[in-house]
Amino acid sequence: LACSTRAAFCCAAKIKEEGSTVPPLLGIASVKGGFYLHGGTRTRATDGSVIDLPKKEGILSIADIKRTALRVDGNDSASLWDLGGGVLGLEIHTKMNACDVGVIEAVELAVKLTKQEFGAIVVGNDHSRAFSAGADLSYFVDMMERKNWTDLEKFVIRGQRAFMQLKYAEAPVVAAAFGLTLGGGCELMMHCDVTLSHSELNAGFPELNVGIVPGWGGCTQLILRTGGDAASIERAFKSVVSTRISSSAAEAVELGVLRATDPIIMNRDRLLAQAVQQARSLIELPYHAPASKSITLGGAKARNSLLAAVQPLRQSGALSDNDWAIVSELATIFSGGESAEEVTLSEIDLSVLERTAFMRLASRPATLERMKHMLATGKPLRN
């Protein structure tokens, strides 16, 4: 039978409609939270009481943690939990786990706590569909409608810095990624030392659909992972232009949003437990934060080459004039900016290029139209 309150209620209503008697347990479940509670760790007995289900070895959920641990810190958007063994858990719990100001604040808190009390961070949650479906567009729309460019840029800067702090934290950071891992959520994942992902991972950057570019380090991390190879840079550029989202973890490796070394987990129920186990094993090793990187990009010649590679899409009508404005900004980022010659850039330099492109696009009326349409319909506007 159904496990949710709504499903149980619908079943009970259908039985009543057919003139039959609703079973007592179904009647209780339809008004008191379904049959299975607390992430499936508890159920209802035939008398309606709640009982614990036997805990399977190797399976862990945030719901399990909540039953035995106090919240270390957090806010309305995200919580920090003591997962035991020196591991701090970062749980996002906004709608579709979108990254808003509260989530960025929680990332900052998590990094701070690793300096004081914890030896590792695990980013994960119990949501049925989304690790994180991206940034909170409603905040962007609010800032853009009020033309509050100062606060909008501050938000972009704060997100960039928080994710950079996560990448260069004094302790290892492990992501337990699954399902929708889009835009800002994908950027969050890519700044972790290790990602354990469920095999069904839908990760990538759909930002072009809402009129912007990845602004919290997504372009930067993709570029750095290419190692400066022109063919790899073109592939990464095209993946962002096409808004391609992986249909699996294996495809996410092809897109560059997962590393070939990142473990893929077949059983979703075991994902968080294995991520925690991975974090604990990293605590036992001498840990050194990754060294900051610089990369040489091709300048104007490379930019022209990138634009030429997607010109057929424009000629076929697959890219509108507005799309082309976004694609042009992406080409500028992936080629190293406005330089006429080859240029060597640091991670900070690349993040400035991202932010500059983001703010230029945010000021365009067409971008606001796209974001509002996406919020209203869930579908991209091809204006």
Coordinates of all heavy atoms in Angstrom, one line a residue, residues 297-353:
L297 N 45.0 29.8 -20.7 CA 43.9 29.8 -21.7 C 44.2 30.6 -22.9 O 45.1 31.5 -22.9 CB 42.6 30.3 -21.1 CG 42.1 29.4 -19.9 CD1 40.9 30.1 -19.2 CD2 41.8 28.0 -20.3
G298 N 43.5 30.3 -24.0 CA 44.0 30.8 -25.3 C 43.7 32.2 -25.8 O 44.0 32.6 -26.9
G299 N 42.9 33.0 -25.0 CA 42.6 34.3 -25.4 C 41.6 34.4 -26.6 O 40.8 33.6 -26.8
A300 N 41.8 35.5 -27.3 CA 40.8 35.9 -28.4 C 40.7 34.7 -29.4 O 39.6 34.4 -29.9 CB 41.2 37.2 -29.1
K301 N 41.9 34.1 -29.8 CA 41.9 33.1 -30.8 C 41.0 31.9 -30.3 O 40.2 31.3 -31.1 CB 43.3 32.6 -31.1 CG 43.4 31.6 -32.2 CD 44.8 31.2 -32.5 CE 44.9 30.2 -33.6 NZ 46.3 29.8 -33.9
A302 N 41.2 31.5 -29.1 CA 40.4 30.4 -28.5 C 39.0 30.8 -28.4 O 38.1 29.9 -28.6 CB 41.0 30.1 -27.1
R303 N 38.7 32.0 -28.1 CA 37.3 32.4 -28.0 C 36.6 32.3 -29.3 O 35.4 31.8 -29.4 CB 37.2 33.9 -27.5 CG 35.8 34.4 -27.3 CD 35.8 35.8 -26.8 NE 34.4 36.3 -26.5 CZ 33.6 36.8 -27.3 NH1 33.9 36.9 -28.6 NH2 32.3 37.2 -27.0
N304 N 37.2 32.8 -30.4 CA 36.7 32.7 -31.7 C 36.5 31.2 -32.1 O 35.5 30.9 -32.8 CB 37.6 33.4 -32.7 CG 37.6 34.9 -32.5 OD1 36.7 35.4 -32.0 ND2 38.7 35.5 -33.0
S305 N 37.4 30.3 -31.7 CA 37.3 28.9 -32.0 C 36.1 28.3 -31.3 O 35.3 27.5 -31.9 CB 38.6 28.2 -31.6 OG 38.5 26.8 -31.9
L306 N 35.9 28.7 -30.1 CA 34.7 28.1 -29.3 C 33.4 28.6 -29.9 O 32.5 27.8 -30.1 CB 34.8 28.6 -27.8 CG 35.9 28.0 -27.0 CD1 36.0 28.7 -25.6 CD2 35.8 26.5 -26.8
L307 N 33.3 29.9 -30.3 CA 32.1 30.4 -30.9 C 31.8 29.7 -32.3 O 30.7 29.4 -32.6 CB 32.2 31.9 -31.1 CG 32.1 32.7 -29.7 CD1 32.3 34.2 -30.0 CD2 30.8 32.5 -29.0
A308 N 32.9 29.5 -33.0 CA 32.8 28.8 -34.3 C 32.2 27.4 -34.1 O 31.5 26.9 -35.0 CB 34.1 28.8 -35.0
A309 N 32.6 26.7 -33.0 CA 32.2 25.3 -32.8 C 30.7 25.2 -32.5 O 30.1 24.2 -32.8 CB 33.0 24.8 -31.6
V310 N 30.1 26.3 -32.1 CA 28.6 26.2 -31.8 C 27.8 27.1 -32.8 O 26.6 27.3 -32.7 CB 28.3 26.6 -30.3 CG1 28.8 25.6 -29.4 CG2 28.8 28.0 -30.0
Q311 N 28.5 27.7 -33.7 CA 27.8 28.6 -34.7 C 26.7 27.8 -35.5 O 25.7 28.4 -35.8 CB 28.9 29.1 -35.7 CG 28.3 30.1 -36.8 CD 27.8 31.4 -36.2 OE1 28.4 31.9 -35.2 NE2 26.8 32.0 -36.7
P312 N 26.9 26.5 -35.8 CA 25.9 25.8 -36.5 C 24.5 25.8 -35.7 O 23.5 25.8 -36.3 CB 26.4 24.4 -36.7 CG 27.9 24.6 -36.7 CD 28.2 25.7 -35.8
L313 N 24.6 25.8 -34.4 CA 23.4 25.8 -33.6 C 22.7 27.1 -33.8 O 21.4 27.2 -33.8 CB 23.8 25.6 -32.1 CG 24.3 24.2 -31.7 CD1 24.7 24.2 -30.2 CD2 23.3 23.1 -32.0
R314 N 23.4 28.2 -33.9 CA 22.8 29.5 -34.1 C 22.2 29.6 -35.5 O 21.0 30.1 -35.7 CB 23.8 30.6 -34.0 CG 23.2 32.0 -34.0 CD 24.2 33.1 -33.9 NE 23.6 34.4 -33.6 CZ 24.3 35.5 -33.7 NH1 25.5 35.6 -34.1 NH2 23.7 36.7 -33.5
Q315 N 22.9 29.1 -36.5 CA 22.4 29.1 -37.9 C 21.1 28.3 -38.1 O 20.3 28.6 -38.9 CB 23.5 28.7 -38.8 CG 24.7 29.6 -38.9 CD 25.9 29.1 -39.7 OE1 26.0 27.9 -39.9 NE2 26.7 30.0 -40.1
S316 N 21.0 27.2 -37.3 CA 19.9 26.3 -37.4 C 18.7 26.8 -36.6 O 17.6 26.3 -36.7 CB 20.2 24.9 -36.9 OG 20.4 24.9 -35.5
G317 N 18.9 27.9 -35.8 CA 17.8 28.4 -35.0 C 17.7 27.8 -33.6 O 16.8 28.2 -32.8
A318 N 18.6 26.9 -33.3 CA 18.5 26.2 -32.0 C 18.9 27.2 -30.9 O 18.6 27.0 -29.7 CB 19.5 25.0 -32.0
L319 N 19.7 28.2 -31.3 CA 20.1 29.3 -30.3 C 19.5 30.6 -30.8 O 19.8 31.0 -31.9 CB 21.6 29.4 -30.2 CG 22.4 28.2 -29.6 CD1 23.9 28.4 -29.8 CD2 22.0 28.0 -28.2
S320 N 18.8 31.2 -29.9 CA 18.2 32.5 -30.2 C 19.3 33.6 -30.0 O 20.4 33.4 -29.5 CB 17.0 32.8 -29.3 OG 17.5 33.0 -27.9
D321 N 18.9 34.9 -30.4 CA 19.9 36.0 -30.2 C 20.2 36.1 -28.7 O 21.4 36.4 -28.3 CB 19.3 37.3 -30.7 CG 19.2 37.3 -32.2 OD1 19.9 36.5 -32.8 OD2 18.5 38.2 -32.8
N322 N 19.2 35.9 -27.8 CA 19.5 36.0 -26.4 C 20.4 34.8 -25.9 O 21.3 35.0 -25.1 CB 18.1 35.9 -25.6 CG 18.3 36.2 -24.2 OD1 19.2 36.9 -23.7 ND2 17.5 35.5 -23.3
D323 N 20.1 33.6 -26.5 CA 21.0 32.5 -26.2 C 22.5 32.9 -26.6 O 23.4 32.6 -25.9 CB 20.6 31.3 -26.9 CG 19.3 30.7 -26.4 OD1 19.0 30.7 -25.2 OD2 18.5 30.1 -27.3
W324 N 22.6 33.5 -27.8 CA 23.9 33.8 -28.3 C 24.7 34.8 -27.4 O 25.9 34.7 -27.2 CB 23.9 34.3 -29.7 CG 25.2 34.3 -30.4 CD1 26.0 35.4 -30.7 CD2 26.0 33.2 -30.8 NE1 27.1 35.1 -31.3 CE2 27.2 33.7 -31.3 CE3 25.7 31.8 -30.7 CZ2 28.1 32.8 -31.8 CZ3 26.7 31.0 -31.2 CH2 27.9 31.5 -31.8
A325 N 23.9 35.7 -26.8 CA 24.5 36.6 -25.8 C 25.1 35.9 -24.6 O 26.2 36.2 -24.2 CB 23.5 37.7 -25.3
I326 N 24.4 34.9 -24.2 CA 24.9 34.1 -23.0 C 26.1 33.2 -23.5 O 27.1 33.1 -22.8 CB 23.7 33.2 -22.5 CG1 22.5 34.0 -22.1 CG2 24.2 32.3 -21.3 CD1 21.2 33.2 -22.0
V327 N 26.0 32.6 -24.7 CA 27.0 31.8 -25.2 C 28.3 32.6 -25.4 O 29.4 32.1 -25.1 CB 26.6 31.2 -26.5 CG1 27.8 30.5 -27.2 CG2 25.5 30.1 -26.3
S328 N 28.2 33.8 -25.8 CA 29.3 34.7 -26.0 C 30.0 35.0 -24.6 O 31.3 35.0 -24.5 CB 28.9 36.0 -26.6 OG 28.4 35.8 -27.9
E329 N 29.2 35.2 -23.6 CA 29.8 35.4 -22.2 C 30.5 34.1 -21.8 O 31.6 34.2 -21.2 CB 28.7 35.7 -21.2 CG 28.1 37.1 -21.5 CD 29.0 38.3 -21.1 OE1 30.1 38.0 -20.6 OE2 28.5 39.4 -21.2
L330 N 29.9 32.9 -22.1 CA 30.6 31.7 -21.7 C 31.9 31.5 -22.4 O 32.9 31.1 -21.9 CB 29.7 30.5 -22.0 CG 28.5 30.2 -21.1 CD1 27.5 29.3 -21.7 CD2 29.0 29.7 -19.7
A331 N 31.9 31.9 -23.7 CA 33.2 31.7 -24.5 C 34.2 32.6 -24.0 O 35.4 32.3 -24.0 CB 32.9 32.1 -26.0
T332 N 33.9 33.8 -23.5 CA 34.8 34.7 -22.9 C 35.4 34.1 -21.6 O 36.7 34.2 -21.4 CB 34.2 36.1 -22.5 OG1 33.7 36.7 -23.7 CG2 35.2 37.0 -21.9
I333 N 34.6 33.5 -20.8 CA 35.1 32.8 -19.6 C 36.1 31.7 -19.9 O 37.2 31.6 -19.4 CB 34.0 32.3 -18.7 CG1 33.1 33.4 -18.2 CG2 34.5 31.5 -17.5 CD1 31.7 33.0 -17.6
F334 N 35.6 30.8 -20.9 CA 36.4 29.6 -21.2 C 37.6 29.9 -22.0 O 38.5 29.0 -22.1 CB 35.5 28.6 -21.9 CG 34.6 27.7 -21.0 CD1 33.5 28.3 -20.5 CD2 35.0 26.4 -20.7 CE1 32.6 27.5 -19.6 CE2 34.2 25.7 -19.9 CZ 33.0 26.2 -19.3
S335 N 37.8 31.1 -22.5 CA 39.0 31.4 -23.2 C 39.9 32.3 -22.4 O 41.0 32.7 -22.9 CB 38.7 32.1 -24.5 OG 37.9 33.3 -24.3
G336 N 39.5 32.8 -21.2 CA 40.4 33.5 -20.3 C 40.1 35.0 -20.3 O 41.0 35.8 -19.9
G337 N 38.9 35.5 -20.8 CA 38.6 36.9 -20.7 C 38.8 37.7 -22.0 O 38.7 37.1 -23.1
E338 N 39.2 38.9 -21.9 CA 39.3 39.8 -23.0 C 40.7 39.8 -23.6 O 40.9 40.6 -24.5 CB 38.9 41.2 -22.6 CG 37.5 41.4 -22.0 CD 36.4 41.1 -23.0 OE1 36.7 41.1 -24.2 OE2 35.3 40.8 -22.5
S339 N 41.6 39.0 -23.1 CA 43.0 39.1 -23.6 C 43.1 38.7 -25.0 O 42.4 37.7 -25.5 CB 43.8 38.1 -22.7 OG 45.1 38.0 -23.3
A340 N 43.9 39.4 -25.8 CA 44.2 39.1 -27.2 C 45.1 37.9 -27.3 O 45.0 37.2 -28.3 CB 44.8 40.3 -27.9
E341 N 45.9 37.6 -26.3 CA 46.9 36.5 -26.4 C 46.6 35.5 -25.3 O 45.7 35.7 -24.5 CB 48.3 37.1 -26.2 CG 48.7 38.2 -27.1 CD 48.8 37.7 -28.6 OE1 49.1 36.5 -28.8 OE2 48.6 38.6 -29.5
E342 N 47.4 34.5 -25.3 CA 47.3 33.5 -24.2 C 47.4 34.1 -22.9 O 48.2 35.1 -22.7 CB 48.3 32.4 -24.4 CG 48.0 31.3 -25.4 CD 48.9 30.2 -25.4 OE1 49.9 30.2 -24.5 OE2 48.7 29.2 -26.1
V343 N 46.7 33.6 -21.9 CA 46.8 34.3 -20.5 C 46.8 33.2 -19.5 O 46.1 32.2 -19.6 CB 45.6 35.3 -20.4 CG1 44.3 34.6 -20.5 CG2 45.7 36.0 -19.0
T344 N 47.5 33.3 -18.4 CA 47.6 32.4 -17.3 C 46.8 33.0 -16.1 O 47.1 34.1 -15.7 CB 49.0 32.1 -16.9 OG1 49.7 31.5 -17.9 CG2 49.0 31.1 -15.7
L345 N 45.7 32.3 -15.7 CA 44.8 32.8 -14.7 C 44.8 31.9 -13.5 O 44.9 30.7 -13.6 CB 43.4 32.9 -15.3 CG 43.2 33.8 -16.5 CD1 41.8 33.7 -17.0 CD2 43.6 35.2 -16.2
S346 N 44.6 32.5 -12.3 CA 44.4 31.8 -11.1 C 42.9 31.4 -11.0 O 42.0 31.9 -11.7 CB 44.8 32.6 -9.9 OG 43.9 33.7 -9.7
E347 N 42.6 30.6 -10.0 CA 41.2 30.3 -9.7 C 40.4 31.5 -9.3 O 39.2 31.7 -9.7 CB 41.1 29.3 -8.5 CG 39.9 28.4 -8.5 CD 40.1 27.2 -7.6 OE1 41.3 26.9 -7.2 OE2 39.1 26.5 -7.3
I348 N 41.0 32.4 -8.6 CA 40.3 33.7 -8.3 C 40.1 34.5 -9.5 O 39.0 35.1 -9.7 CB 41.2 34.5 -7.3 CG1 41.4 33.8 -6.0 CG2 40.6 35.9 -7.0 CD1 40.1 33.5 -5.2
D349 N 41.0 34.6 -10.4 CA 40.8 35.3 -11.7 C 39.6 34.7 -12.5 O 38.8 35.5 -13.0 CB 42.1 35.2 -12.6 CG 43.3 35.9 -12.0 OD1 43.1 36.9 -11.3 OD2 44.4 35.4 -12.2
L350 N 39.5 33.4 -12.5 CA 38.4 32.8 -13.3 C 37.1 33.1 -12.6 O 36.1 33.3 -13.3 CB 38.7 31.3 -13.3 CG 39.8 30.8 -14.3 CD1 40.1 29.3 -14.1 CD2 39.4 31.0 -15.7
S351 N 37.1 33.1 -11.3 CA 35.8 33.4 -10.6 C 35.4 34.8 -10.8 O 34.2 35.1 -10.9 CB 36.0 33.2 -9.1 OG 36.9 34.1 -8.5
V352 N 36.3 35.8 -11.0 CA 36.0 37.1 -11.3 C 35.4 37.2 -12.7 O 34.4 37.9 -13.0 CB 37.2 38.1 -11.3 CG1 36.9 39.4 -11.9 CG2 37.7 38.2 -9.9
L353 N 35.9 36.4 -13.7 CA 35.3 36.3 -15.0 C 33.9 35.8 -15.0 O 33.0 36.4 -15.6 CB 36.1 35.4 -15.9 CG 37.5 35.9 -16.3 CD1 38.2 34.9 -17.3 CD2 37.4 37.3 -17.1

